[in-house]
Amino acid sequence: MKIEHVSKFYPGVTALNDVSFEIKKGEVHALCGENGAGKSTLIKCIMGVIHQDKGTISMNYDGQWIVNSDAMEAQRHGVFANYQSVTIAPDLSIAENYFLGNQPRKGMFVDWRRMTEESRKVIDKFEMNVDPGAKIRELPIAMQAMVTISKISVNRDIRLVILDEPTALLENDKVDILFRFIRELKAQGVSVIYISHRLEEVMEICDSVTILKDGTYVNTLPIQEVDKDKLITMMVGRQMTDIYNIRHFEPGEELLRIEDFSDSKHFRDIHFELRRGEILGFVGLVGAGRSEVMRALMGVEKRISGDVYIRGKKVNILSPTDALEHGIGFLTEDRRADGCALGLSIKTNINMSSLDMISRCGFVNLRKETQRASELSKSVNVKTPSIDQLVGNLSGGNQQKVVIAKLLCRDPDILIFDEPTVGIDVGAKQEIFKLIERLTEQGRGIILISSYLPEVMGLSDRLIVMAQGRITAEFDSDELKTLTEEEVLRKASIE
């Protein structure tokens, strides 16, 4: 594929400016850059979802150089993309999603038996251990991501695959399966564009790397000629120290205590406490029940048993509104679906959970609404020309900051961050980690859930490991200093 002098402009914004590079047949080509560098815009141009304003994108199709006019034509020519957000039909089954628009036929009717059998082969290949008839909505978000990735393999004629943050929600074993699939594609002569902020993955799986910064082309290099530090410097334009090296503080009084938390199928007998100024990490494989425990704590999901104590006092939380009123803020793992309203402004998003605090007799104080949004967006460093900007126009890292600002509007003492750095670049990650440091310095307690072991192990004061819905290990700050990823994974894999 040739990308030649591609530019894309929006009102007041240059998303891409004269970008040119080539992707060879059978090559795994990394595309790196900070959020807002232009990566997502470029892959949408490649897929024909949007059209560049200048330049051409052409691909060699059986010896002829062609230009795809739209997304349907791109797919007919073997170009497929796995986008950062899960993009499958939630109310259809896995099998129906795999063969959506291309169902096998038996005469005039859909051959459901064949569709199930073919789906089972894909599921087994990717070691997902799920029923082909399971509805997407019923699956954990990490399994939904795996279904989206595996759906690509159903296609017969694959020439180019674009993987945008494919491992953001995957545990280590599923990453290994994905890499095996990528190597199979490469052996078949399929080209892969690989986008990831996890630079160790880029170093492991890619043959070459192109760096974008602020919509402009920086360089293309063989992967052997770069290391992580060089990539970061080219991406952000500055040296970066250990991003997990934040200050830790002596834990204070107990803020939260959970006793005997159980539900019907996701978790049982969960006990833990959180102290002021403490970062409590949770880790586990897909299906371990970490997010489900927190959703039950927030009143989003039902639980069979369990008591919640805040500052030693037993409270009854039946809904997210109750949780907010008791000083608990929850940053969900899927910010686009649960965390923010993409079609609304930054100002509206930041204030939407706390309008009651700036209202009187049913009327919102518009001056306070603007003032709070402006102050909080600055405090979390949302990069935007205006708080009236639509959240959907922001990069992933800035969307995440808007959700955090929304939580801080209610000044909670307890914050639950579920996968807070999914799909955001190393610079934005460091900003969020420094924000976590400031929050703990203020005496707030943080519960941190992350599938990325270096992150949760590097940031936590204590670490709780879950497997199959129960707690299998807990490590204190002294134990964390010598703890290895292998030891954590061993505890997370207990049947």
Side-chain angles (χ1 to χ4, degrees), residues 43-101:
I43 65 173
K44 288 176 183 176
C45 291
I46 293 171
M47 285 299 301
V49 175
I50 61 175
H51 295 283
Q52 64 271 18
D53 297 310
K54 292 182 180 179
T56 58
I57 298 174
S58 55
M59 63 178 290
N60 190 331
Y61 187 77
D62 294 340
Q64 288 186 316
W65 286 96
I66 62 171
V67 175
N68 296 311
S69 60
D70 55 37
M72 293 298 292
E73 187 174 10
Q75 289 196 8
R76 285 196 298 272
H77 289 139
V79 183
F80 299 92
N82 174 78
Y83 295 102
Q84 183 175 327
S85 55
V86 177
T87 52
I88 45 180
D91 293 312
L92 297 182
S93 69
I94 296 174
E96 288 170 321
N97 270 278
Y98 279 161
F99 291 94
L100 191 62

Side-chain angles (χ1 to χ4, degrees), residues 305-473:
S305 66
D307 296 319
V308 180
Y309 295 85
I310 295 179
R311 298 180 203 85
K313 181 180 177 182
K314 186 175 179 179
V315 297
N316 191 21
I317 297 176
L318 300 176
S319 69
T321 301
D322 292 341
L324 287 171
E325 290 176 353
H326 282 102
I328 307 175
F330 185 25
L331 179 75
T332 65
E333 62 182 329
D334 190 349
R335 63 174 174 263
R336 297 176 68 89
D338 302 325
C340 54
L342 300 178
L344 299 179
S345 69
I346 295 170
K347 178 173 68 176
T348 302
N349 271 272
I350 288 177
N351 283 284
M352 64 169 50
S353 295
S354 54
L355 289 173
D356 60 303
M357 299 173 70
I358 54 171
S359 300
R360 187 172 182 181
C361 300
F363 293 95
V364 176
N365 186 319
L366 299 181
R367 183 183 59 81
K368 288 184 178 180
E369 181 188 33
T370 300
Q371 181 182 349
R372 290 202 313 171
S374 180
E375 290 175 354
L376 281 164
S377 64
K378 288 177 183 176
S379 74
V380 299
N381 197 25
V382 177
K383 294 180 175 66
T384 178
S386 167
I387 57 173
D388 293 317
Q389 176 76 265
L390 298 183
V391 170
N393 293 337
L394 301 177
S395 66
N398 283 306
Q399 289 179 5
Q400 195 75 306
K401 292 174 191 175
V402 169
V403 181
I404 294 172
K406 181 182 76 171
L407 298 181
L408 295 180
C409 244
R410 296 202 71 94
D411 196 26
D413 278 339
I414 301 160
L415 286 160
I416 303 169
F417 288 169
D418 193 351
E419 304 289 358
T421 62
V422 166
I424 65 176
D425 64 74
V426 65
K429 283 182 182 179
Q430 187 176 52
E431 289 183 352
I432 287 178
F433 298 157
K434 286 297 182 183
L435 174 60
I436 288 175
E437 178 189 276
R438 293 203 307 272
L439 293 172
T440 51
E441 185 179 19
Q442 293 166 7
R444 304 177 204 255
I446 307 286
I447 294 176
L448 175 65
I449 302 172
S450 178
S451 300
Y452 189 44
L453 286 179
E455 178 176 279
V456 71
M457 293 173 66
L459 295 173
S460 298
D461 296 303
R462 282 190 298 129
L463 185 67
I464 289 177
V465 185
M466 290 187 64
Q468 301 294 314
R470 59 191 178 91
I471 293 175
T472 56

Side-chain angles (χ1 to χ4, degrees), residues 1-4 6 21-23 56-60 65:
M1 174 169 280
K2 292 181 181 178
I3 297 161
E4 299 174 290
V6 169
F21 63 95
E22 293 185 9
I23 301 162
T56 58
I57 298 174
S58 55
M59 63 178 290
N60 190 331
W65 286 96

Side-chain angles (χ1 to χ4, degrees), residues 138-154:
E138 299 169 355
L139 304 175
I141 187 70
M143 189 59 71
Q144 293 182 29
M146 201 67 190
V147 171
T148 309
I149 292 167
S150 61
K151 180 181 177 181
I152 294 171
S153 69
V154 176

